[in-house]
Amino acid sequence: MPCSSFSTGGDNGGDNSGKKSDGSSLRNFKLNESTFLASLMPKKEIAADRFIDAHPTYDGRGALIAIFDSGVDPAADGLQITSDGKPKILDVIDCTGSGDVDTSKVVKADADGCISGASGASLVINTSWKNPSGEWHVGYKLVYELFTETLTSRLKKERKKKWDEKNQEDIARAVKQLNDFDKQHIKVDDAKLKRVREDLQNRLDLLRRLSESYDDKGPAIDAVVWHDGEVWRVALDTQSLEDDPDCGKLANFVPLTNYRIERKHGVFSKLDACTFVVNVYNDGNVLSVVTDCSPHATHVAGIASAFHPKEPSLNGVAPGAQLISCKIGDSRLGSMETGTGLTRALIAAVEHKCDLINMSYGEATLLPDYGRFIDLVNEAVNKHRLIFVSSAGNSGPGLSTVGAPGGTASSIIGVGAYVSPAMAAGAHCVVEPPSEGLEYTWSSRGPTADGDLGVCISAPGGAVAPVPTWTLQRRMLMNGTSMASPSACGGIALLISAMKAEGIAVSPYSVRKALENTSVPIGDLPEDKLSTGQGLMQVDKAFEYIQKCQNIPCVWYQININQSGKTNPSSRGIYLREPSACRQSTEWTVQVSPKFHEDASNFEELIPFEECIELQSTGETIVKVPDYLLLTHNGRTFNVVVDPSNLCDGLHYYEVYGIDCKAPWRGPLFRIPITITKAKAVTNQPPQVSFSNMLFQPGHIERRYIEVPHGASWAEATMKTSGFDTARRFYLDAVQMCPLQRPLKWESVATFPSPASKSFAFRVVSGQTLELVIAQFWSSGIGSHDTASVDFEVAFHGIKVNQEVILDGSEAPVRLDAETLLGSEELVPVAILNKIKVPYRPIDSKISALSTDRDKLPSGKQILALTLTYKIKLEDGAKVKPQIPLLNNRIYDTKFESQFFMISDSNKRVYSCGDVYPSSSNLPKGEYNLQLYLRHDNVQILEKMRHLVLFIERNLEEKDVIRLSFFSQPDGPLMGNGSFKSSMLFPGIKEGLYLGPPPKEKLPKNSPLGSVLVGAISYGKLSLADQGESKNPEKHPAACSITYIVPPNKVDEDKGKGSSLSSKKAVSDRIKEEVRDAKIKVLGSLKQETDEERVEWKELSALLKSEYPKHTPLLAKILEGLVSRSNIKDKIQHDEEVIDAANDVIDSIDCEELAKFFALKNDPEDEEAENIKKKFESARDQLAEALYQKGLALAEIESLKLADLTWCILSKDVDKFLALEAGTGGARKDVDNEQSTDDGSHPDSFEENFQELRKWVDVKSPKYGILLVTRERRSQRLGTALKVLCDIIQDDAEPAKKKFYELKLSLLDEIGWTHLATYERQWMLVRFPPSLPLF
């Protein structure tokens, strides 16, 4: 995720050196307008201003920076040109695919120059557009999918306002019509008038109801792609975004091409003010519409290189540098980065021959310097000489909180966030700025889990910089290590600009060494380096260093360290954190390996390389090293002895570094960080520790290290503050490190408006060192001269249980042995099962090669994709979350490239999508496809994943959550006695208890084999918890997971029993029936797509009908075949065939006998009676279906003839008019005169059929309701028809049916509610997209 915030305040944690040369320790200063503007875009702190003043042409010119972020807006202020007039942004790429549009559908224009767009709209082509092939690729996109949540929210408010105005007009019109009717008809007794009034009332009710259910999914924009003979061109139709019908037309669009060719962009509409660019891939079959997914990237790009010729003080650090924008934040996921985005971004950076990469994104990781993305970064840095700069993270102030990749990868320059007094006064507008610069409180700290420093350097971590145009402002304040990284990156761009100008070879190795060896330390203590790295970078000093070293080989010194006697794991530093490691001396073997770039010459660089290195230690009594080392190209090892046994409790930091004996001015060639956290043992009983009278000023940090007592599983802490006037804000961190896990971190922000006490509870791991960090926020209390005093007390608790709790599905309980090792604890076990996880295997898998346009690695390897399809069925609506145990929760620390899933229904509507961090989404009842998309260049890895198991986790409803019972006896669950509620535990005494399985009647129904119920179990009582929290084990800090394996369903005792009726029949009769049924089955399986197939079906149906003329199931199957037929040429003839087939079904059923049967009550215990009931129910359903299909056919014939009649009148075709008039006969009169068979005149076949259907079924049900809608529509009661239809749609539990919504649209058009019709058309593309979106 992005490493920044949009707040107007900041955090700090650190100190400054007080040296004036760093431009930060300005005491007793007052801002003027010039210094105020300069403080908004800090450059003085890193000496960038001095450097450009001394070298005006070394302002980034010649440097190309790739911005790996959320997408840069090329129209943002200051991002159009460089200081020397060149284009600022050379390319804008969406690397995630979130803006991809499927344009594989190809159409040709008709004689009028129109094409059919992918959304269904008719589009007019501009005749001046060149298209030699005449082929137009079409696609569409729901525009909200391209916008940020903030922009979408703003547009929804604006659109809802306009929609409400139109809806209110129609409501006012409906109210007037109803009032006019009531004035004309004071007393309404006539049935016809009642129906008319009901129709008017329904119209009014519908308008109000539809207003309440309004949910704007946004308009769709049509996209057209074509090749003009030279390049691919793109035009968009954005009429749906405009109020003016003449605006946004496709033909008026100025065609765009891939951004890198012409560097042009578009804007969707004046209302959204959102900039976009386009790129075409895969021979026109994929269009990428690129928008940003947050203002973050534009802000970052502005810090690095914005150029404001009229406001130079607001320039970015390197105004002469050029950029490419690589969007790695996926709009479908908010702005989360994806593996696909990261890989494509690296491909683009290498392809464009970038000098620098800035990445202000990152996540926590369980393995430092590991993963596929890290491997690709290493290749880019070592082989292609890219300099990679990244944010360290915003998870401080605790140690070991640096994120990946910036804080954990050796080949990346990780940057911490610094705030100067000028920034505090100007950008943050604090009353009284700090006297010295310091690290923001939230800036992540090192070391990494393997001991590396984590933070390389620091740079200003806040700025007022450009933001996208859709924000409706030019710039805004953001702070975070996200801002520190581009500040450093801009500074490095100045160095590259200078190096290129002076002919100095650019190498990430030499640049990094110059930065680290010339930075100004922040803070006076050795351990401050864990917060700030080597200090605040200084551009001018770094360039001087580079100039002096330009003839020295470009070498990076790789460090690998192993503890003597152990081969694994190797590390990059020495990190003694746990108590056992701090009690005795340890010996370590250090391997130093010089690394040259891949193109280094064997004879000119590798063989001659030899350096005499003096080894030095910053703590000679604690860390002992040899004096000298002769280093050659093949590397060298030496030993280090660390003896922390005599150190006092707390944090200690040392370094071993190597100095070139012949050129000591070069400074350390390599550094080995050594971090020791000596923990305080807790010896008193009960186990607790107190820290009294800790004094805090703004930005001050206190760290305490505690050896968590064995047996502790949670801690309860109390913080008491005193001695201050204005409010104080504190950051609290409790951090523990466990092997192959992300740091176990509890954090809280505690605000004290006045002196008070607060309590907290958090999980701990026994026997491990706990770092407790209390930091006063850097700007909290500024302006007040009072020192805050804090007393902090931590009490440890724990109940140890003998095993992980897994219930195996049997009736047997699980025995648990509970004990406490610390002090007396109240044993109050609570367990719930509140989720079910159902496993699925894919039903289909497909491996395909991806396009070479953007999915071919710099090494030449082609990336492949594996698409797995899973079928998921939900018996009821539920909140579900897909889980892939192998892949989830790892972006950077994984050797797999990427994953993405989409859940869609049978209509191809996408309900949910996600990647490594899946979230829960609500799905209605029904069947779904889940498609999982995996990418890698190794086909063998993908082959191994063809049968990947995926779990669907579903939350149980509150009423279905299972609370488990505890017992003191093994037979308690069966006998129902011996319930266990609570007990007091004392050290050294174990207590046994039994956890009973869930009652079988409470298990979720229809749980597939392999399903598991999961939940939580807790044992101890929290002294701080209220009654509600104590009943929910998930809220206990020491809660553990609990699993119940769902057993197989019970055997159906009736399964396999034969029907008593069939068993009484003779064998010959049974054979005849089975042969007949087999023939009918064959008839049902025949396709009718071609003329030959239809003839074959017709012949077989006629043959079977002659054999079994009164067999209702056969006649029903013939009717079904006719109804399912598509591509009908003569609809009237087809409808007449349907009516004949329906009459055959109706005539084959004895309706009197059927009515008599349903008038009687049946004994459900009588098996024979139940079988007879099923037979009659089947006959009733077949009769109802026949009546229903007959009614639809009658109505369609009538409608078609009336349409022809209207056409004849308009075209003055008298002969055909007279023929059709005779053909429509009384039916037309019935519609006109609202008459039916009730008044004895003009028999109405439709009405007679409808009344017959009403006898047998509920005509308002989803299955038959369309006929009721048709009936109301015939009578021009359109409001009632629409109401009935809306009720049917609402009550239908099945997936959305397109025919229902198409009918709804036609009714809205007929009524004249255009705003509602437009709204429904937008929803049609959501509910019934023509295809699934691209991954």
Side-chain angles (χ1 to χ4, degrees):
M1 289 296 288
C3 302
S4 68
S5 68
F6 293 72
S7 63
T8 55
D11 296 10
N12 291 327
D15 255 321
N16 199 356
S17 65
K19 297 182 181 179
K20 288 223 171 184
S21 60
D22 68 359
S24 62
S25 55
L26 307 174
R27 298 175 182 272
N28 304 318
F29 70 95
K30 186 173 180 64
L31 292 174
N32 55 37
E33 182 182 356
S34 175
T35 56
F36 167 70
L37 290 174
S39 74
L40 303 182
M41 182 66 79
K43 297 182 280 289
K44 187 172 186 178
E45 288 77 357
I46 60 172
D49 58 343
R50 296 198 303 272
F51 183 76
I52 293 178
D53 287 344
H55 310 283
T57 59
Y58 296 175
D59 61 352
R61 298 173 199 188
L64 180 57
I65 306 172
I67 305 291
F68 287 15
D69 214 285
S70 60
V72 178
D73 180 359
D77 197 35
L79 295 180
Q80 283 69 57
I81 59 171
T82 65
S83 57
D84 56 345
K86 293 179 180 176
K88 173 63 69 174
I89 301 177
L90 299 184
D91 205 356
V92 179
I93 311 163
D94 178 2
C95 301
T96 67
S98 57
D100 283 3
V101 181
D102 183 354
T103 51
S104 58
K105 183 179 180 181
V106 178
V107 299
K108 289 185 178 283
D110 61 18
D112 298 324
C114 295
I115 62 172
S116 178
S119 72
S122 178
L123 306 173
V124 179
I125 296 296
N126 189 316
T127 55
S128 67
W129 293 345
K130 294 180 182 178
N131 184 353
S133 70
E135 295 183 341
W136 306 91
H137 293 251
V138 294
Y140 80 94
K141 190 78 169 175
L142 294 172
V143 76
Y144 284 177
E145 295 176 0
L146 299 170
F147 292 165
T148 66
E149 188 176 335
T150 305
L151 175 56
T152 300
S153 177
R154 171 165 71 80
L155 291 180
K156 282 185 175 182
K157 287 178 184 176
E158 294 283 345
R159 286 164 56 84
K160 179 68 161 62
K161 183 180 177 182
K162 294 174 183 176
W163 191 89
D164 281 340
E165 289 172 1
K166 294 176 182 176
N167 201 56
Q168 284 302 316
E169 290 174 7
D170 283 330
I171 287 176
R173 199 173 294 116
V175 169
K176 184 178 184 302
Q177 290 172 348
L178 188 60
N179 288 340
D180 290 346
F181 180 89
D182 288 341
K183 287 177 183 177
Q184 293 175 15
H185 308 89
I186 298 173
K187 191 175 182 181
V188 182
D189 294 326
D190 181 66
K192 176 183 173 183
L193 288 176
K194 283 183 178 178
R195 288 194 290 270
V196 172
R197 192 188 188 286
E198 181 187 17
D199 180 66
L200 292 172
Q201 184 64 53
N202 283 334
R203 293 185 184 215
L204 180 58
D205 293 343
L206 275 170
L207 286 167
R208 289 170 174 163
R209 172 177 160 189
L210 292 171
S211 178
E212 292 171 0
S213 63
Y214 178 87
D215 181 13
D216 183 12
K217 291 295 182 183
I221 55 172
D222 273 289
V224 180
V225 177
W226 72 98
H227 200 277
D228 68 0
E230 296 179 1
V231 296
W232 287 101
R233 292 285 175 187
V234 177
L236 303 183
D237 183 275
T238 58
Q239 287 185 85
S240 56
L241 290 166
E242 301 283 359
D243 293 327
D244 186 345
D246 293 327
C247 292
K249 289 183 178 179
L250 178 75
N252 297 334
F253 189 91
V254 179
L256 299 173
T257 187
N258 287 18
Y259 185 84
R260 68 187 296 181
I261 297 174
E262 295 180 349
R263 292 186 291 278
K264 292 180 180 178
H265 61 266
V267 176
F268 291 106
S269 71
K270 292 179 181 178
L271 180 62
D272 56 72
C274 182
T275 307
F276 69 91
V277 307
V278 299
N279 294 300
V280 180
Y281 301 109
N282 198 15
D283 295 325
N285 292 316
V286 176
L287 165 65
S288 174
V289 181
V290 191
T291 57
D292 63 86
C293 60
S294 88
H296 191 265
T298 304
H299 197 273
V300 163
I303 293 172
S305 70
F307 174 58
H308 302 280
K310 295 181 180 179
E311 297 173 313
S313 58
L314 293 175
N315 281 351
V317 179
Q322 293 179 297
L323 307 173
I324 68 166
S325 168
C326 299
K327 179 181 175 183
I328 61 170
D330 196 304
S331 297
R332 296 166 293 188
L333 308 176
S335 60
M336 175 66 71
E337 70 268 45
T338 63
T340 298
L342 292 166
T343 301
R344 283 178 174 168
L346 274 174
I347 292 171
V350 172
E351 179 189 344
H352 281 77
K353 295 181 169 54
C354 292
D355 301 292
L356 278 157
I357 295 172
N358 182 86
M359 181 170 159
S360 294
Y361 263 64
E363 300 284 329
T365 178
L366 58 88
L367 281 171
D369 209 29
Y370 169 86
R372 175 167 171 77
F373 179 67
I374 303 302
D375 294 341
L376 295 174
V377 169
N378 291 340
E379 180 184 345
V381 171
N382 299 330
K383 181 176 181 179
H384 301 285
R385 300 195 176 212
L386 273 78
I387 301 172
F388 202 124
V389 187
S390 184
S391 51
N394 301 336
S395 299
L399 295 189
S400 302
T401 51
V402 285
T408 61
S410 294
S411 55
I412 295 177
I413 298 172
V415 187
Y418 167 88
V419 58
S420 69
M423 292 167 61
H428 292 289
C429 298
V430 299
V431 175
E432 184 179 319
S435 59
E436 296 179 337
L438 68 166
E439 210 77 358
Y440 279 100
T441 311
W442 35 253
S443 187
S444 290
R445 270 68 174 176
T448 62
D450 67 342
D452 196 31
L453 188 59
V455 183
C456 295
I457 55 173
S458 290
V464 177
V467 287
T469 54
W470 61 259
T471 62
L472 306 185
Q473 64 186 93
R474 294 173 66 192
R475 52 182 67 89
M476 68 168 61
L477 169 67
M478 294 188 201
N479 56 69
T481 53
S482 280
M483 284 63 249
S485 183
S487 179
C489 188
I492 298 170
L494 300 181
L495 297 177
I496 291 174
S497 180
M499 293 170 76
K500 288 186 174 182
E502 297 193 3
I504 302 172
V506 177
S507 165
Y509 304 158
S510 58
V511 169
R512 178 168 180 170
K513 190 61 60 192
L515 291 170
E516 291 182 339
N517 285 348
T518 60
S519 293
V520 175
I522 305 169
D524 301 321
L525 301 174
E527 54 266 27
D528 287 332
K529 282 193 175 186
L530 296 170
S531 300
T532 67
Q534 301 305 325
L536 189 65
M537 67 174 287
Q538 301 293 296
V539 176
D540 53 352
K541 294 179 181 177
F543 184 57
E544 291 172 7
Y545 184 95
I546 289 170
Q547 286 178 313
K548 290 179 70 175
C549 294
Q550 60 181 301
N551 295 320
I552 295 174
C554 297
V555 179
W556 184 250
Y557 300 84
Q558 182 176 305
I559 305 295
N560 278 297
I561 305 172
N562 291 94
Q563 188 172 352
S564 296
K566 295 182 179 179
T567 55
N568 284 305
S570 64
S571 63
R572 295 170 295 162
I574 298 174
Y575 193 6
L576 304 181
R577 184 178 176 101
E578 304 310 327
S580 59
C582 297
R583 294 191 183 113
Q584 59 188 18
S585 295
T586 50
E587 186 175 7
W588 304 79
T589 301
V590 178
Q591 171 77 36
V592 182
S593 303
K595 294 297 177 184
F596 292 78
H597 289 294
E598 287 193 19
D599 57 359
S601 165
N602 286 344
F603 285 97
E604 294 179 10
E605 296 179 76
L606 304 191
I607 295 173
F609 179 80
E610 186 174 276
E611 291 181 333
C612 177
I613 293 176
E614 181 183 357
L615 297 175
Q616 297 184 8
S617 166
T618 59
E620 295 181 357
T621 59
I622 309 299
V623 180
K624 298 178 181 179
V625 296
D627 293 328
Y628 290 94
L629 180 75
L630 183 63
L631 186 64
T632 63
H633 162 249
N634 290 316
R636 189 74 171 86
T637 62
F638 64 91
N639 287 359
V640 176
V641 175
V642 182
D643 183 6
S645 56
N646 295 321
L647 290 174
C648 61
D649 297 340
L651 172 63
H652 306 272
Y653 178 81
Y654 305 96
E655 279 185 353
V656 170
Y657 54 90
I659 300 293
D660 185 345
C661 297
K662 296 179 180 178
W665 55 265
R666 292 175 63 191
L669 303 183
F670 59 83
R671 294 178 173 88
I672 301 168
I674 299 162
T675 308
I676 303 169
T677 56
K678 195 84 177 281
K680 178 179 181 179
V682 181
T683 56
N684 52 327
Q685 290 294 334
Q688 62 183 40
V689 60
S690 299
F691 306 103
S692 302
N693 198 29
M694 293 184 287
L695 302 179
F696 287 87
Q697 288 285 340
H700 182 68
I701 300 175
E702 289 284 344
R703 303 180 187 275
R704 298 291 186 270
Y705 298 88
I706 307 164
E707 182 180 346
V708 176
H710 283 280
S713 52
W714 81 92
E716 296 183 17
T718 302
M719 180 177 180
K720 183 180 179 181
T721 59
S722 61
F724 56 89
D725 45 11
T726 58
R728 294 293 190 271
R729 186 179 178 197
F730 292 90
Y731 272 33
L732 308 175
D733 281 1
V735 184
Q736 288 186 283
M737 303 290 289
C738 299
L740 296 181
Q741 292 183 36
R742 293 181 176 183
L744 177 63
K745 183 185 178 189
W746 169 85
E747 59 186 358
S748 179
V749 178
T751 300
F752 293 86
S754 60
S757 293
K758 291 191 177 186
S759 297
F760 316 93
F762 49 88
R763 183 185 188 89
V764 296
V765 177
S766 69
Q768 303 284 106
T769 294
L770 170 71
E771 181 192 30
L772 177 67
V773 187
I774 307 166
Q776 185 171 319
F777 193 72
W778 75 270
S779 61
S780 175
I782 280 184
S784 169
H785 298 284
D786 290 341
T787 299
S789 177
V790 173
D791 295 334
F792 206 92
E793 182 178 277
V794 184
F796 293 96
H797 301 265
I799 294 177
K800 184 181 177 183
V801 178
N802 60 320
Q803 65 180 52
E804 183 183 357
V805 182
I806 299 177
L807 297 159
D808 59 11
S810 71
E811 287 71 22
V814 172
R815 174 184 167 83
L816 304 172
D817 290 330
E819 63 177 325
T820 176
L821 304 179
L822 302 175
S824 59
E825 296 283 358
E826 186 173 0
L827 176 63
V828 187
V830 183
I832 60 170
L833 297 170
N834 57 0
K835 297 182 181 73
I836 182 169
K837 290 171 66 174
V838 180
Y840 291 89
R841 290 272 191 191
I843 61 166
D844 184 52
S845 65
K846 181 182 178 182
I847 294 178
S848 57
L850 298 176
S851 166
T852 57
D853 292 352
R854 51 180 175 172
D855 290 311
K856 190 172 186 178
L857 294 171
S859 63
K861 291 183 178 179
Q862 184 66 48
I863 298 174
L864 309 171
L866 168 65
T867 305
L868 302 175
T869 304
Y870 301 80
K871 281 280 186 187
I872 298 163
K873 185 174 182 180
L874 296 179
E875 299 295 339
D876 297 294
K879 194 171 187 178
V880 303
K881 178 166 71 172
Q883 291 185 334
I884 311 160
L886 177 66
L887 303 175
N888 285 162
N889 302 318
R890 292 185 293 149
I891 291 181
Y892 299 102
D893 44 356
T894 175
K895 289 293 185 178
F896 300 104
E897 181 177 307
S898 68
Q899 57 188 285
F900 202 90
F901 72 82
M902 285 191 292
I903 302 177
S904 59
D905 64 10
S906 56
N907 294 317
K908 300 185 180 68
R909 177 184 176 182
V910 175
Y911 280 83
S912 175
C913 59
D915 67 337
V916 295
Y917 298 113
S919 57
S920 298
S921 54
N922 288 307
L923 299 183
K925 173 186 175 182
E927 293 187 355
Y928 298 89
N929 280 337
L930 186 150
Q931 285 194 310
L932 177 63
Y933 181 76
L934 305 170
R935 293 164 42 107
H936 208 281
D937 60 70
N938 189 329
V939 69
Q940 293 178 331
I941 290 176
L942 294 179
E943 285 287 354
K944 291 178 181 178
M945 302 174 79
R946 277 189 181 272
H947 305 288
L948 187 68
V949 173
L950 173 145
F951 284 92
I952 294 293
E953 182 182 275
R954 174 165 57 89
N955 294 338
L956 300 180
E957 293 184 24
E958 189 61 37
K959 61 182 178 63
D960 297 325
V961 172
I962 302 171
R963 293 194 165 275
L964 301 179
S965 299
F966 293 84
F967 301 90
S968 56
Q969 301 170 3
D971 297 320
L974 189 63
M975 306 302 293
N977 57 9
S979 176
F980 182 95
K981 298 296 182 186
S982 65
S983 174
M984 285 302 296
L985 289 177
F986 298 97
I989 302 175
K990 290 185 179 180
E991 179 150 352
L993 66 157
Y994 292 89
L995 171 62
K1000 295 295 185 283
E1001 65 273 11
K1002 290 201 172 184
L1003 296 179
K1005 295 178 182 177
N1006 304 315
S1007 301
L1009 196 64
S1011 301
V1012 293
L1013 289 169
V1014 294
I1017 184 170
S1018 65
Y1019 303 99
K1021 183 177 181 180
L1022 285 176
S1023 59
L1024 310 174
D1026 58 29
Q1027 190 66 26
E1029 288 183 341
S1030 63
K1031 292 182 179 179
N1032 185 354
E1034 289 183 317
K1035 293 188 175 181
H1036 196 290
C1040 301
S1041 63
I1042 180 172
T1043 303
Y1044 173 79
I1045 302 170
V1046 179
N1049 294 324
K1050 68 176 184 178
V1051 178
D1052 187 352
E1053 296 176 358
D1054 298 327
K1055 192 174 182 180
K1057 292 184 178 179
S1059 168
S1060 59
L1061 284 177
S1062 63
S1063 61
K1064 291 178 182 178
K1065 292 183 180 179
V1067 172
S1068 60
D1069 291 338
R1070 286 163 60 189
I1071 290 173
K1072 288 179 182 178
E1073 287 182 0
E1074 290 187 12
V1075 169
R1076 178 198 65 200
D1077 294 344
K1079 291 178 180 179
I1080 295 172
K1081 188 175 181 181
V1082 170
L1083 178 67
S1085 68
L1086 293 181
K1087 294 180 180 179
Q1088 299 185 68
E1089 295 174 359
T1090 64
D1091 290 340
E1092 292 78 8
E1093 289 172 342
R1094 281 191 284 272
V1095 169
E1096 186 180 19
W1097 180 89
K1098 193 172 183 178
E1099 290 174 352
L1100 180 58
S1101 62
L1103 177 64
L1104 294 179
K1105 190 175 176 182
S1106 65
E1107 271 190 84
Y1108 315 105
K1110 290 294 181 180
H1111 185 57
T1112 304
L1114 168 63
L1115 300 174
K1117 184 62 71 175
I1118 291 172
L1119 174 61
E1120 181 186 325
L1122 283 169
V1123 170
S1124 65
R1125 189 177 291 173
S1126 58
N1127 300 322
I1128 299 160
K1129 296 174 182 176
D1130 188 339
K1131 289 190 175 182
I1132 291 180
Q1133 181 185 345
H1134 176 260
D1135 286 333
E1136 288 171 347
E1137 290 179 10
V1138 170
I1139 291 169
D1140 292 339
N1143 285 334
D1144 288 342
V1145 175
I1146 295 165
D1147 294 342
S1148 72
I1149 296 172
D1150 188 337
C1151 294
E1152 289 186 13
E1153 184 185 359
L1154 198 63
K1156 286 178 184 177
F1157 174 81
F1158 283 109
L1160 301 174
K1161 288 187 177 180
N1162 295 297
D1163 181 7
E1165 300 296 324
D1166 186 341
E1167 183 183 347
E1168 189 170 338
E1170 279 296 296
N1171 287 325
I1172 294 171
K1173 180 183 176 184
K1174 289 178 182 177
K1175 179 182 175 184
F1176 275 100
E1177 285 177 342
S1178 175
R1180 179 196 61 194
D1181 293 342
Q1182 289 164 344
L1183 173 63
E1185 181 64 19
L1187 291 166
Y1188 174 66
Q1189 295 298 341
K1190 180 181 177 181
L1192 292 178
L1194 286 167
E1196 187 172 41
I1197 289 174
E1198 180 184 288
S1199 175
L1200 290 169
K1201 288 184 176 180
L1202 285 173
D1204 285 345
L1205 197 62
T1206 303
W1207 182 85
C1208 289
I1209 293 170
L1210 294 174
S1211 63
K1212 299 180 182 180
D1213 189 339
V1214 179
D1215 294 336
K1216 191 171 183 180
F1217 170 78
L1218 294 173
L1220 288 167
E1221 174 72 8
T1224 56
R1228 181 169 171 268
K1229 294 176 185 175
D1230 288 333
V1231 175
D1232 293 341
N1233 299 315
E1234 287 271 9
Q1235 292 177 336
S1236 67
T1237 53
D1238 294 342
D1239 58 19
S1241 63
H1242 302 302
D1244 184 349
S1245 301
F1246 176 89
E1247 188 64 28
E1248 288 177 353
N1249 184 80
F1250 180 82
Q1251 296 299 337
E1252 184 65 23
L1253 176 64
R1254 181 177 260 171
K1255 295 177 184 177
W1256 301 103
V1257 293
D1258 177 10
V1259 291
K1260 291 184 178 180
S1261 69
K1263 190 170 184 180
Y1264 305 107
I1266 294 299
L1267 205 59
L1268 176 58
V1269 175
T1270 305
R1271 179 181 183 242
E1272 296 299 322
R1273 192 177 194 177
R1274 287 178 82 240
S1275 302
Q1276 286 300 299
R1277 294 190 290 269
L1278 301 179
T1280 303
L1282 186 57
K1283 180 184 181 301
V1284 171
L1285 180 59
C1286 289
D1287 290 342
I1288 290 170
I1289 291 172
Q1290 184 174 327
D1291 296 340
D1292 191 7
E1294 300 298 320
K1297 296 179 177 63
K1298 192 172 185 179
K1299 63 179 182 179
F1300 287 179
Y1301 290 93
E1302 289 174 338
L1303 181 55
K1304 183 178 180 181
L1305 255 177
S1306 66
L1307 286 169
L1308 290 170
D1309 284 332
E1310 197 168 343
I1311 293 172
W1313 291 342
T1314 55
H1315 70 291
L1316 283 169
T1318 301
Y1319 170 75
E1320 282 298 327
R1321 282 190 175 88
Q1322 292 170 3
W1323 261 99
M1324 287 293 284
L1325 288 170
V1326 176
R1327 294 189 182 101
F1328 310 104
S1331 61
L1332 286 170
L1334 301 174
F1335 282 101

